[in-house]
Amino acid sequence: MWIQNKSIFIRLAEVLLALVLVLGISGCAGKFPFLSDNVESTEKTTVLEETSSISENLKMSGVVTALDTETKNVTVRNMDTREITSFVYSTSTMVQNKYGDGISMAQVRIGELVDLEYDRTSGKVKEVTISPDAWELNSITQFTMDRTNKTIQTGSHLYQYDSSIAIVSDGALIEPIEISDQDELTIKGRGTMAYSIIVTKGHGYVSLENEEHFLGGTLTIGKIVKPITANMLVVVPEGDYTLEVEQGKTKGRKQIRVEKNEELAVDIQSFVAEARQIGTVNFKIDPEQAKLYVNGKEINHKEVAPFDYGTYAVRVEAEGYVPFSEKYEVKTSYQEKTIVLEAEEGESSAAETEETSSENQQTSEPGTVVVTLPPTEVSSSGETTAESSTTEKETIGSPGSISSGDVSAYKIHIMEPSQTEVYFDGDYIGISPVTLTKVSGEHTIILKKDGYVTKTYTVNITSDQIDSYYSFPALATN
């Protein structure tokens, strides 16, 4: 009986022990929740980490609009959304040029097109690369900027831009209307779109002081040529130049330096006192033994003589010849003046004894060739055209006593159009009608006059021992 009861007791004790163990574990779990949540918490952390690793790094392409190397902040305008965002970078940020070479962040310029990789949450930049897909046009000085239609053209290339374009001058953003056509630019973009313009060389300003004497004259600074007006202000690219002013025969020049965004006031009053100009005159007189007098003073005409610009009384005399006199103006750095005296009645000269053989002689001067170019018509476009029915006319005298091929004793006479600057093979000769020593062969004659179209003629001057006369068509007006 006792044995049976003992067995039942043991079983009850086992059940109670099991119950106590279950209840004990539950109580402990209430006091220490990590024991029951440990597995679930680990799973949740893993999921968050995996989600963050996928989305925390983002990429974008943009234009650098600001860079602060002290606070290590870089501001970029998104090329797709046009939004502006500031990012933080550090020494661990990888920075590369477009070739993949490592550079410092300080080498990245405002206006640069870049590709970024950054942490979306913290805003920290992990990688910056100067865009290898961007094009770049450097040292652009000839361009047309249409601010209404937002285009910029250089050469045959036309690019579009919008109001978000980054225009940089001296490290700061400026507006399109602040760009001058005197500036030098670097343009950056992708495809047909320009995203940034960097003013690599800007402009300054030049004004004139005491310019009253030069009003209506001409101011020249580099390639800039402008009429001089009172209180004028000229936009000039930064750099070193020779400033020149001219009013009639009064001229002056001065070396200047134009600084970016600065005004340079140039006092030109001293140019009036310095305006005394000297030209040289090469008198060629026949016969050689003749005497030359300028303002009553005898001058050695076998040497090139210096003269102040101005008008002089010139007289040439020789025994047996008719005296010659005229008013002669010196107005260029070099001039040639040919004077041939006529023999007095009863005297003879080589020129007077030459015989003429042409039936179509048009001048009383023997030993000459007269060349008259066709008359011209002005077309609707303003160009001159020659009448094909008009032909060249010549008057040829008999050869002189000089050996064949030597034409230095003869002359070339440029007759028409009158009062026109004449250049012979690029050398200034004088104001037409003008005479120079004959030189055979192919030569270039240039005719130039203010307000008219400059014309160039190529002529073939023969080696005949005779003078040549040329009359060209009138110049067309500009």
Side-chain angles (χ1 to χ4, degrees):
M1 182 70 179
W2 164 246
I3 296 173
Q4 185 177 4
N5 290 336
K6 184 180 180 179
S7 176
I8 294 172
F9 179 78
I10 291 172
R11 289 182 179 177
L12 287 172
E14 289 176 348
V15 170
L16 290 172
L17 180 60
L19 182 60
V20 170
L21 289 173
V22 170
L23 293 175
I25 292 172
S26 298
C28 291
K31 294 180 181 180
F32 305 100
F34 65 88
L35 292 176
S36 61
D37 294 344
N38 186 49
V39 174
E40 182 180 358
S41 176
T42 301
E43 290 176 351
K44 288 181 180 179
T45 302
T46 302
V47 170
L48 287 173
E49 288 179 353
E50 290 176 352
T51 303
S52 177
S53 64
I54 294 174
S55 61
E56 69 180 359
N57 293 337
L58 297 179
K59 295 182 179 181
M60 67 170 284
S61 295
V63 182
V64 177
T65 58
L67 178 63
D68 190 332
T69 55
E70 292 185 2
T71 62
K72 290 184 169 52
N73 274 273
V74 58
T75 304
V76 179
R77 175 175 283 153
N78 191 311
M79 286 194 288
D80 295 324
T81 65
R82 306 299 193 265
E83 294 179 353
I84 296 178
T85 307
S86 292
F87 300 95
V88 178
Y89 68 91
S90 65
T91 55
S92 63
T93 300
M94 180 183 294
V95 186
Q96 298 175 316
N97 62 19
K98 65 179 181 179
Y99 305 107
D101 302 323
I103 59 175
S104 68
M105 200 66 174
Q107 292 176 271
V108 179
R109 302 302 183 196
I110 298 177
E112 199 71 74
L113 275 60
V114 296
D115 299 325
L116 285 87
E117 183 176 342
Y118 63 97
D119 186 298
R120 180 181 63 176
T121 303
S122 65
K124 291 183 178 180
V125 179
K126 294 189 173 183
E127 184 175 327
V128 177
T129 303
I130 296 177
S131 178
D133 300 327
W135 49 259
E136 181 176 313
L137 303 177
N138 295 302
S139 303
I140 303 300
T141 57
Q142 301 295 323
F143 59 90
T144 302
M145 196 167 186
D146 186 339
R147 294 169 178 81
T148 301
N149 296 313
K150 292 185 172 59
T151 62
I152 185 166
Q153 182 171 359
T154 172
S156 59
H157 303 287
L158 179 67
Y159 301 100
Q160 194 79 31
Y161 69 89
D162 60 25
S163 56
S164 69
I165 188 171
I167 303 177
V168 185
S169 178
D170 288 335
L173 297 179
I174 63 174
E175 295 297 323
I177 59 173
E178 297 178 71
I179 293 180
S180 167
D181 58 4
Q182 302 296 333
D183 292 340
E184 178 186 280
L185 310 178
T186 291
I187 309 173
K188 300 174 183 282
R190 282 181 174 177
T192 59
M193 200 73 184
Y195 289 102
S196 75
I197 298 175
I198 302 170
V199 180
T200 50
K201 284 186 180 180
H203 59 271
Y205 307 91
V206 174
S207 61
L208 302 179
E209 294 181 346
N210 298 307
E211 72 276 20
E212 294 81 7
H213 183 82
F214 292 91
L215 293 178
T218 303
L219 168 68
T220 303
I221 307 174
K223 296 181 180 179
I224 300 173
V225 181
K226 290 184 174 292
I228 297 176
T229 58
N231 303 316
M232 67 188 303
L233 186 66
V234 184
V235 179
V236 182
E238 60 178 313
D240 297 322
Y241 300 94
T242 299
L243 177 146
E244 299 183 29
V245 294
E246 178 179 359
Q247 171 58 289
K249 297 174 184 176
T250 305
K251 299 180 181 180
R253 60 173 55 191
K254 185 176 184 179
Q255 298 301 315
I256 64 170
R257 169 167 288 184
V258 179
E259 302 286 353
K260 186 174 182 179
N261 298 328
E262 304 232 346
E263 179 181 344
L264 176 66
V266 182
D267 190 343
I268 60 175
Q269 186 176 26
S270 61
F271 291 170
V272 178
E274 298 171 357
R276 176 176 175 265
Q277 289 188 302
I278 299 176
T280 54
V281 180
N282 185 4
F283 286 99
K284 297 183 177 181
I285 298 177
D286 185 14
E288 289 189 2
Q289 70 271 21
K291 292 183 178 182
L292 168 66
Y293 298 89
V294 177
N295 287 348
K297 182 180 179 180
E298 184 176 356
I299 300 293
N300 183 4
H301 63 79
K302 296 181 181 180
E303 297 179 358
V304 176
F307 294 91
D308 286 352
Y309 279 24
T311 302
Y312 297 84
V314 174
R315 181 175 176 83
V316 180
E317 298 177 351
E319 187 177 351
Y321 291 84
V322 177
F324 170 89
S325 63
E326 72 170 12
K327 294 291 185 180
Y328 182 68
E329 184 179 10
V330 177
K331 54 184 176 181
T332 60
S333 59
Y334 176 80
Q335 296 177 208
E336 286 186 0
K337 177 62 176 177
T338 300
I339 301 174
V340 180
L341 298 183
E342 296 181 3
E344 290 181 343
E345 188 174 346
E347 300 292 334
S348 62
S349 66
E352 289 177 325
T353 58
E354 289 180 348
E355 297 179 359
T356 58
S357 59
S358 172
E359 296 179 356
N360 297 322
Q361 184 173 353
Q362 295 187 355
T363 176
S364 61
E365 298 182 43
T368 63
V369 173
V370 178
V371 179
T372 303
L373 291 184
T376 58
E377 295 178 347
V378 180
S379 65
S380 58
S381 62
E383 298 180 352
T384 57
T385 57
E387 293 180 352
S388 59
S389 60
T390 306
T391 58
E392 186 178 272
K393 299 178 181 179
E394 294 187 355
T395 298
I396 303 176
S398 60
S401 60
I402 303 176
S403 61
S404 177
D406 184 0
V407 297
S408 60
Y410 297 94
K411 309 298 178 184
I412 299 172
H413 306 272
I414 312 299
M415 308 302 295
E416 296 290 342
S418 63
Q419 299 303 305
T420 301
E421 295 179 22
V422 179
Y423 297 80
F424 188 82
D425 289 340
D427 294 329
Y428 177 76
I429 302 302
I431 304 296
S432 59
V434 68
T435 299
L436 64 149
T437 301
K438 186 174 183 180
V439 183
S440 61
E442 188 173 271
H443 298 276
T444 301
I445 296 175
I446 302 173
L447 307 176
K448 179 183 176 182
K449 189 174 184 179
D450 290 344
Y452 294 83
V453 178
T454 301
K455 289 289 291 185
T456 301
Y457 296 97
T458 300
V459 297
N460 190 7
I461 299 174
T462 67
S463 58
D464 296 338
Q465 294 171 0
I466 48 181
D467 281 9
S468 297
Y469 285 77
Y470 287 89
S471 290
F472 298 96
L475 298 178
T477 57
N478 280 326

